Amino acid sequence: MQTKAIGRAGVAVAAIAMGAAATLAAAPAALASTPAQAPTTFAAKNTCPTWSVTGKAVNFRSGPGTGYGSKGLLHRWDDSGTKVSSSGSWVKIKLDHKSKTGIKKGTTGWVHKKYIQQCVYTQLD
């Protein structure tokens, strides 16, 4: 009885090996007929909510343009906020904390895009 079990197992292994060999033999032909494809890259949308001031002393305006009055100045890397909306080249942010110049936490205002930068999440593995 033990001989039959080994015999049947040997036949099953041989059948699997022959099937794998046939698949491997067909693989180069299948690859040759498939056009080469460039690797796919995915651009992830930046979802970080914080925007930091990158300008030296930037006007925090009441509207999206230089014609609107300034609520005060924001300073590089010391002041940041969460984006509320945007209009053209202007971003409306809500301050995350009291600014270096004393503008209250939670105050909203407009800053030109060239003077602020959205944070970027980094994955450390």
Side-chain angles (χ1 to χ4, degrees), residues 10-88:
V11 171
V13 170
I16 291 170
M18 287 177 19
T23 302
L24 289 175
L31 289 175
S33 65
T34 305
Q37 294 179 343
T40 304
T41 56
F42 297 99
K45 181 178 180 182
N46 188 358
T47 58
C48 182
T50 304
W51 289 69
S52 296
V53 175
T54 58
K56 195 169 189 176
V58 178
N59 282 307
F60 191 53
R61 298 193 176 273
S62 59
T66 56
Y68 292 90
S70 177
K71 295 181 176 188
L73 295 176
L74 300 178
H75 291 276
R76 181 181 304 162
W77 309 124
D78 289 330
D79 297 318
S80 62
T82 303
K83 181 179 175 179
V84 175
S85 64
S86 62
S87 178

Side-chain angles (χ1 to χ4, degrees), residues 86-107:
S86 62
S87 178
S89 298
W90 294 82
V91 177
K92 185 176 186 178
I93 62 171
K94 179 178 178 181
L95 294 180
D96 293 337
H97 56 273
K98 184 177 177 181
S99 76
K100 187 175 179 181
T101 58
I103 304 169
K104 291 181 182 179
K105 174 185 175 179
T107 303

